[in-house]
Amino acid sequence: MVAWNKEKSPGAVIVTGASRGIGAAIARLAGAHGFPVAVNFASAEAAAQEVVSQIVAAGGRAIAVQGDVAREEDVIRLFETAARELGPLQGLVNNAGITGGLARVEAVNAEMLTHMLAVNVAGTILCAREAVRRMSQRHGGTGGAIVNISSLAARTGGTGEWVHYAASKGAINSFTIGLAREVASEGIRVNAVAPGLIDTDLHATSGAPDRVERLSPTVPMQRAGTVDEVAEGVLWLLSPAASYTTGTILEIGGGR
Ligand code: NAP
């Protein structure tokens, strides 16, 4: 699939929110491709350690690093730890994200909105800042790639369920395009993957345990996607095979 440069060992990749779901699948696939991986988590330490064990058992290298991406000091510590333990950075996957729960706009409140935007938007931007400071040729780095996890909801709007969350992912799309152009001449590519309905815990923790089953028939492919199907797209964007691809939003949504 991927034209990896086998003569040079790849630099480290940080995957935020990698203790489960899509992030865990990305971390496992990155490890299988030879990237040393920093498996970030907010609170699920045992689950993150299990992802590390799976990567190591498959012959890869990984560490688990706690850090809430909404907290600037945690983000800085995450990047410092990854640099110290895994070496120079080659990639960042901004995957950590929350929905804030199911709610029509008339029912949202400031506390939920502020927290959701801090994780999804500010967290993504702060992590990207740290990655650019390390990878940009303008700062003495050797380049790299950033992949932001958006959502198809940014295009469809999340109507009746989570318009607030869809709007946060719209911000991720704008950020992806803008940052891609800002650092394109500095050796960094920036892209997004926008998954559709993916079978993870996110739906249950958002208050809709039956959401995947209920909505699967509305997807043109008649099913939810798997975390591994999303991870494949992310790894392609991280890889040299995507060397002329930047500022792109890759939708992985079964035709939605
Ligand atoms: P998930 O199963 O709920 O997993 C979320 C992950 O993010 C967990 O590892 C969690 O770690 C971590 N996390 C949450 N808040 C964090 C924070 N403040 N700092 C660091 N890590 C944090 O979610 P998922 O379905 O895999 O979703 C992953 C990404 O894909 C999200 O950005 C989501 O918006 C996006 N997405 C998902 C779908 C879908 O259908 N599932 C569709 C489109 C887009 P802890 O367990 O330690 O809290």
Side-chain angles (χ1 to χ4, degrees), residues 161-173:
E161 293 195 308
W162 42 43
V163 172
H164 51 278
Y165 164 73
S168 79
K169 295 300 189 177
I172 295 306
N173 289 358

Side-chain angles (χ1 to χ4, degrees), residues 15-26 39-45 47-48 65-71 74-75 78 94-99 115 118-120 123-124 148-153 162 165 168-169 172 193-206 211-212 224-225 227 230 252 256:
V15 185
T16 66
S19 59
R20 61 173 188 269
I22 294 170
I26 294 166
V39 176
N40 162 252
F41 65 98
S43 56
E45 178 160 19
V65 189
Q66 192 281 330
D68 177 346
V69 297
R71 294 167 57 95
D74 285 18
V75 169
L78 165 63
N94 271 314
N95 166 80
I98 55 174
T99 64
H115 179 56
V119 174
N120 293 7
T124 293
N148 299 319
I149 305 301
S150 176
S151 170
L152 267 186
W162 42 43
Y165 164 73
S168 79
K169 295 300 189 177
I172 295 306
V193 164
L197 183 70
I198 308 299
D199 194 0
T200 70
D201 292 349
L202 173 136
H203 311 281
T205 53
S206 300
R211 190 169 180 269
V212 169
V227 292
V230 178
I252 301 181
R256 245 190 173 176

Side-chain angles (χ1 to χ4, degrees), residues 196-197 212 215-225 253-256:
L197 183 70
V212 169
L215 294 184
S216 289
T218 69
V219 178
M221 282 193 182
Q222 302 280 298
R223 67 170 178 88
R256 245 190 173 176

Side-chain angles (χ1 to χ4, degrees), residues 22-233:
I22 294 170
I26 294 166
R28 282 191 294 264
L29 195 58
H33 278 296
F35 287 108
V37 188
V39 176
N40 162 252
F41 65 98
S43 56
E45 178 160 19
Q49 291 294 358
E50 176 58 26
V51 175
V52 167
S53 299
Q54 289 166 348
I55 293 170
V56 171
R61 201 172 146 213
I63 56 166
V65 189
Q66 192 281 330
D68 177 346
V69 297
R71 294 167 57 95
E72 187 171 25
E73 62 270 33
D74 285 18
V75 169
I76 291 168
R77 182 172 44 76
L78 165 63
F79 279 76
E80 285 175 351
T81 305
R84 194 174 58 244
E85 306 275 329
L86 300 174
L89 191 69
Q90 185 172 333
L92 164 67
V93 183
N94 271 314
N95 166 80
I98 55 174
T99 64
L102 291 163
R104 285 172 55 99
V105 171
E106 67 212 27
V108 299
N109 63 69
E111 191 184 350
M112 177 274 274
L113 283 177
T114 306
H115 179 56
M116 186 270 300
L117 290 169
V119 174
N120 293 7
V121 183
T124 293
I125 296 174
L126 287 171
C127 288
R129 179 193 76 187
E130 292 304 306
V132 168
R133 286 178 178 175
R134 286 166 175 78
M135 300 191 306
S136 170
Q137 289 160 355
R138 191 162 171 258
H139 295 286
T142 56
I146 297 173
V147 180
N148 299 319
I149 305 301
S150 176
S151 170
L152 267 186
R155 173 164 60 72
T156 58
T159 307
E161 293 195 308
W162 42 43
V163 172
H164 51 278
Y165 164 73
S168 79
K169 295 300 189 177
I172 295 306
N173 289 358
S174 301
F175 178 66
T176 299
I177 294 163
L179 181 63
R181 293 175 181 176
E182 191 162 293
V183 298
S185 64
E186 301 168 20
I188 302 178
R189 295 179 300 100
V190 186
N191 293 287
V193 164
L197 183 70
I198 308 299
D199 194 0
T200 70
D201 292 349
L202 173 136
H203 311 281
T205 53
S206 300
D210 66 336
R211 190 169 180 269
V212 169
E213 199 185 344
R214 186 166 39 84
L215 294 184
S216 289
T218 69
V219 178
M221 282 193 182
Q222 302 280 298
R223 67 170 178 88
T226 69
V227 292
D228 294 327
E229 288 172 315
V230 178
E232 289 289 347

